[in-house]
Amino acid sequence: MPEQNQDYAIEMTGITKRFPGVVANDNITLKVKNNEVHALLGENGAGKSTLMSILFGSYDPDAGSIKIRGKEVKIKNPNVATELGIGMVHQHFKLVRNYTVAENIVLGSEPLNKFGLLDLDTARQKVKVLSEVYGLNVNPDAKIEDITVGMQQRVEILKVLYRSADIIIFDEPTAVLTPQEIDDLIEIIRLLKEQGKTILLITHKLKEIMAIADRCSVLRHGKLVETVNVADVTESQFAELMVGRAVKFEIEKAPCKTGKEVLKIENLCVKNNHGFLAVDDLSLSVRAGEILGIAGVDGNGQTELIYAITGLAPCESGKIIFDGKDITNLSIRKRIEAGVCHVPEDRHRFGIVSEYSLGENVALKNYYKEPYSKRGTFLNLPAMMEKGEELIQAFDIRAGQGAHTPLGSMSGGNQQKVIIGREIDLGGSFLIFAQPTRGLDVGAIEYIRQRIIQERDNGKAILLVSFELDEIMNLCDRIATISKGKIVGIHNAGEVTEREIGVMMAGSKNQEQNKKSEGDVE
């Protein structure tokens, strides 16, 4: 009825969308009230992003209808969505890195002066006003390449607001943010709601739903399971709705049994892309059968440390000793062959080739060896596909065309499972996990964390870098806290609290705790 329809900003009825080998959305009906924060929860590949891409005009549905504020519409492309007041903040930012904030925000909707020329002054002023109104604190003259990931996301939000959107879709908005940036984003969403905006939040992070959402629709295998009031449901109930079974949030593990020293770093110094010292006289070691966690705020040298260990960045000084051998100047391939395995934090840049199939991606690091290469000359594609199918089963990877599925067409979480499966399958003695559960749902997180523990119990030396403190506290046997490129404390698990680590992350040493820690570098 029209009167009731006015209560809804969005009504998507009977939406179905098929891709080769998979039904991404199966007869979904979604109703979003005006001026609410409505979460879409589901496992990777459940159909959340596909449904929202249909609403934003990136995909045409195979069946179903859409009403915006009670009026049926045909959203053929994103320009139509923009005209209807719908904006989308994408998981992977769509920004031109060498343009300024203001230039990125007005791109495609540039203001012109009376002579028909670009009026950047007007654009800068409007951006400044919007930034102040919504508490975004963005400098319109800063270049994208010079600002943090969290600030880049604020630019994406400003792009939407600049185009007068009153329905805003956030696609996995916290996947690349630090805990502090996540808190800031939640406050921004609250302010947007207070300003009368309707928010759709695609996520699989239960804490964020509990913190900010009014209602939540749960998707599983392309179908709508249920829409609930968030206040009426617990985190455990949400997890069960999402994956169809009870989920363990705490991973049980036996005490570690450490063996020989696998990795030893001595007085390491590494510069970042801007030529500044990012890793400063850092020393640590990792033994077989243990997980050493690196805790710290993003941008404090973790990335450069990993690059130095894996050979992606040169060392200014210091040594990297692996299995008793100096690998400081060894090539990347030689390090891989020695047993250094790496799950990168930036999977698109260093982990996968999007245009390649799943099977081809599985063989990226050893394609030149048997069974993937015949006599070192011809690639054995059937062998790659066979290994791909094996990992699909072992790691519960959702791939519509099996090992032949182009990796770029798969969800971020399933891409991550492919990378983790490949690195574990390589069989090296040392595993680096950088943000291993970033972008994964609770079921996948549970599984990946169990696999990390399993590899540790198999005698592997593991370095875990994560911005999720609960992940560090839950999985690690020792915890090294990093601040401004320096290790400010190494503690055995159970000897330090999250609060104490947080203080050290800010740069304060806990001297008394350090004295008690095993393997202290001070």
Side-chain angles (χ1 to χ4, degrees):
M1 291 180 289
E3 291 78 20
Q4 291 178 326
N5 288 349
Q6 295 305 312
D7 293 335
Y8 294 109
I10 303 159
E11 296 170 89
M12 304 180 76
T13 306
I15 299 294
T16 297
K17 180 64 180 177
R18 298 179 182 87
F19 295 104
V22 65
V23 180
N25 292 153
D26 188 356
N27 194 31
I28 292 176
T29 294
L30 175 72
K31 295 185 177 182
V32 180
K33 295 178 181 179
N34 281 304
N35 194 215
E36 76 167 340
V37 178
H38 193 114
L40 275 182
L41 176 66
E43 293 184 273
N44 295 114
K48 310 181 299 295
S49 293
T50 299
L51 187 65
M52 289 299 97
S53 293
I54 289 171
L55 179 61
F56 191 58
S58 298
Y59 293 143
D60 283 328
D62 297 321
S65 62
I66 301 173
K67 290 182 180 179
I68 301 297
R69 303 175 201 90
K71 181 181 178 182
E72 187 163 339
V73 295
K74 300 289 184 183
I75 307 176
K76 291 294 184 182
N77 56 60
N79 288 333
V80 174
T82 300
E83 291 170 5
L84 291 167
I86 303 170
M88 188 166 183
V89 178
H90 297 272
Q91 180 179 359
H92 303 296
F93 306 149
K94 300 181 182 299
L95 300 170
V96 182
R97 294 185 61 80
N98 59 340
Y99 279 18
T100 67
V101 166
E103 288 167 343
N104 269 276
I105 289 170
V106 303
L107 195 61
S109 301
E110 296 88 347
L112 304 176
N113 61 23
K114 62 182 180 181
F115 302 108
L117 301 174
L118 177 63
D119 187 356
L120 259 184
D121 286 338
T122 298
R124 290 173 63 258
Q125 188 58 35
K126 185 173 180 180
V127 169
K128 187 177 180 182
V129 169
L130 282 171
S131 179
E132 290 172 354
V133 168
Y134 291 97
L136 296 170
N137 300 316
V138 174
N139 176 7
D141 297 316
K143 282 193 174 182
I144 296 298
E145 61 190 3
D146 295 329
I147 62 177
T148 65
V149 171
M151 202 59 71
Q152 289 176 31
Q153 185 178 68
R154 296 184 182 203
V155 176
E156 288 281 13
I157 295 170
L158 279 169
K159 280 171 62 178
V160 169
L161 295 172
Y162 181 84
R163 288 157 179 78
S164 303
D166 53 19
I167 296 171
I168 303 176
I169 305 163
F170 287 89
D171 186 3
E172 300 286 3
T174 63
V176 295
L177 302 186
T178 66
Q180 292 85 347
E181 289 170 335
I182 291 171
D183 291 341
D184 292 342
L185 177 64
I186 287 173
E187 288 305 314
I188 290 167
I189 290 175
R190 284 200 181 104
L191 184 55
L192 289 169
K193 181 187 174 184
E194 289 173 9
Q195 298 282 348
K197 308 295 183 185
T198 299
I199 308 295
L200 274 155
L201 178 65
I202 305 172
T203 187
H204 49 250
K205 293 192 176 181
L206 302 180
K207 289 181 180 179
E208 292 159 19
I209 291 175
M210 306 300 285
I212 194 63
D214 300 303
R215 291 195 304 149
C216 177
S217 293
V218 183
L219 274 62
R220 191 194 313 151
H221 303 317
K223 294 178 180 289
L224 179 68
V225 176
E226 194 171 349
T227 297
V228 298
N229 293 319
V230 171
D232 299 335
V233 184
T234 66
E235 281 192 39
S236 296
Q237 289 169 329
F238 267 130
E240 192 163 348
L241 280 171
M242 181 165 59
V243 301
R245 61 174 176 80
V247 175
K248 292 181 181 179
F249 291 97
E250 295 292 325
I251 302 298
E252 297 178 1
K253 65 180 190 289
C256 67
K257 298 177 180 178
T258 57
K260 66 175 183 176
E261 185 178 68
V262 175
L263 179 78
K264 184 176 183 180
I265 295 173
E266 299 177 345
N267 308 112
L268 190 67
C269 292
V270 186
K271 288 184 177 178
N272 60 22
N273 290 335
H274 301 289
F276 298 109
L277 205 60
V279 176
D280 187 1
D281 196 31
L282 184 147
S283 298
L284 55 77
S285 67
V286 189
R287 305 186 74 85
E290 76 163 345
I291 301 172
L292 175 69
I294 303 288
V297 177
D298 188 16
N300 276 269
Q302 301 97 315
T303 297
E304 290 79 8
L305 172 61
I306 294 170
Y307 285 3
I309 296 171
T310 56
L312 291 168
C315 305
E316 294 299 309
S317 60
K319 287 185 179 181
I320 302 171
I321 309 298
F322 182 74
D323 272 344
K325 298 177 182 177
D326 189 341
I327 65 166
T328 311
N329 299 309
L330 221 54
S331 69
I332 295 173
R333 176 176 285 189
K334 291 293 184 184
R335 296 183 201 216
I336 294 169
E337 291 177 342
V340 176
C341 303
H342 175 211
V343 176
E345 60 179 329
D346 188 341
R347 59 176 168 262
H348 293 103
R349 187 177 179 191
F350 295 119
I352 65 171
V353 179
S354 297
E355 295 79 9
Y356 285 9
S357 68
L358 186 154
E360 290 168 320
N361 272 277
V362 165
L364 278 180
K365 290 192 171 181
N366 52 0
Y367 66 89
Y368 57 94
K369 295 181 177 179
E370 292 284 353
Y372 306 130
S373 177
K374 298 177 181 178
R375 296 185 297 277
T377 305
F378 301 104
L379 294 178
N380 185 352
L381 287 175
M384 295 179 187
M385 299 306 145
E386 184 179 343
K387 175 59 72 174
E389 294 294 344
E390 183 183 315
L391 294 189
I392 286 171
Q393 295 301 316
F395 288 83
D396 188 28
I397 298 166
R398 310 285 168 81
Q401 301 171 61
H404 294 276
T405 307
L407 214 59
S409 70
M410 294 167 57
S411 70
N414 280 303
Q415 292 173 0
Q416 185 78 333
K417 288 182 182 179
V418 172
I419 297 168
I420 290 173
R422 177 186 68 209
E423 298 304 308
I424 288 176
D425 189 68
L426 284 171
S429 60
F430 176 59
L431 283 157
I432 300 173
F433 288 96
Q435 317 303 335
T437 60
R438 174 185 282 175
L440 300 188
D441 56 71
V442 290
I445 288 171
E446 177 192 40
Y447 178 76
I448 293 303
R449 289 178 177 176
Q450 287 173 338
R451 286 305 300 252
I452 292 172
I453 295 296
Q454 183 180 328
E455 292 307 304
R456 167 260 220 180
D457 292 343
N458 288 338
K460 304 290 179 65
I462 295 173
L463 181 69
L464 173 65
V465 178
S466 177
F467 301 141
E468 304 286 346
L469 266 183
D470 65 330
E471 185 162 78
I472 292 286
M473 302 294 287
N474 193 5
L475 294 183
C476 296
D477 302 301
R478 289 191 298 136
I479 301 168
T481 307
I482 192 169
S483 178
K484 297 179 181 176
K486 293 178 178 288
I487 298 295
V488 293
I490 300 182
H491 300 81
N492 294 323
E495 289 185 354
V496 64
T497 65
E498 280 195 30
R499 182 178 180 83
E500 288 168 335
I501 290 177
V503 170
M504 287 186 285
M505 284 165 62
S508 299
K509 291 189 180 182
N510 187 331
Q511 298 289 358
E512 187 175 338
Q513 288 282 359
N514 286 348
K515 290 176 184 176
K516 292 190 284 184
S517 69
E518 178 184 280
D520 200 336
V521 299
E522 292 298 306

